[in-house]
Amino acid sequence: MKKYILAICLMAIVLFTFSACSRNELDLEQIEQPVQEFMGGIFHQFDNLGFSIEFPAFWEGKYGIAEVDNFEPDLRLVAIYHLGSAEFGGVLLRLGRAVGEHFTYDNPPLMAGGSILLKQTGGYTYFINFPSDVQHDGPNSESGIEYLEMVGYWEPSHWDFLVNSFRLIE
């Protein structure tokens, strides 16, 4: 029953969070798990995106990962969400890969709340997207404070760990 409720909450999260993109839903069968500890953080290899990346060690046990099925063959997305804020959206970021190398900071795929272009090579653009709306239950709640700590209170330099740990899968 608990898994059923979680699945419904996650579906609501995606529908709300990705409202700019129609027909998005999480594929809960393809949830990625941490592969190993790496450089003091939590290493993930996303075979479906073609790259690996590291999350901060203090995120351990506080986040989930689910592939987003958006029915577009040229675009793949993975949602990284805060478990404690899942009923309010909880999306911390989305990792993605789009076909093409023509995107810019002003025109990346699914721009929503902002983007970081990680690399453009081999016919693909690898990127991070951020939500454009509030994804927690308030900055004074326990889960809201934890969410804001995980996103570094949206300071741009906070995301250096993602940029610095990004590696293409050979």
Side-chain angles (χ1 to χ4, degrees):
M1 182 69 170
K2 196 174 190 179
K3 287 183 181 180
Y4 177 74
I5 292 171
L6 178 60
I8 291 191
C9 288
L10 290 174
M11 292 298 290
I13 291 167
V14 172
L15 291 174
F16 179 75
T17 304
F18 298 105
S19 61
C21 301
S22 62
R23 302 180 314 208
N24 285 331
E25 58 186 69
L26 294 178
D27 183 350
L28 297 176
E29 297 301 317
Q30 296 186 27
I31 294 176
E32 299 276 345
Q33 295 299 319
V35 179
Q36 62 181 323
E37 291 291 319
F38 183 72
M39 293 176 53
I42 306 163
F43 174 81
H44 289 274
Q45 181 168 309
F46 297 97
D47 294 328
N48 58 335
L49 298 176
F51 65 86
S52 65
I53 208 152
E54 182 181 349
F55 300 138
F58 81 91
W59 281 24
E60 176 121 20
K62 300 176 185 176
Y63 69 97
I65 301 174
E67 186 166 300
V68 177
D69 185 359
N70 65 2
F71 303 102
E72 294 191 33
D74 293 347
L75 182 64
R76 293 200 175 161
L77 294 169
V78 172
I80 313 302
Y81 60 94
H82 177 235
L83 295 173
S85 299
E87 69 180 287
F88 304 99
V91 173
L92 300 164
L93 55 98
R94 292 174 299 278
L95 301 171
R97 182 187 81 183
V99 173
E101 297 181 36
H102 58 279
F103 301 103
T104 67
Y105 283 101
D106 296 327
N107 182 31
L110 298 177
M111 199 166 90
S115 299
I116 296 173
L117 295 179
L118 295 168
K119 189 165 188 122
Q120 293 183 320
T121 187
Y124 295 104
T125 296
Y126 304 90
F127 59 91
I128 303 166
N129 286 133
F130 301 103
S132 61
D133 56 353
V134 175
Q135 297 287 311
H136 55 80
D137 63 339
N140 297 321
S141 69
E142 186 176 325
S143 64
I145 291 168
E146 184 175 84
Y147 177 96
L148 291 170
E149 288 172 350
M150 290 176 74
V151 297
Y153 295 89
W154 297 112
E155 289 294 323
S157 64
H158 174 73
W159 303 105
D160 290 348
F161 67 89
L162 291 174
V163 175
N164 294 333
S165 69
F166 171 82
R167 300 287 182 273
L168 289 173
I169 298 172
E170 300 294 325

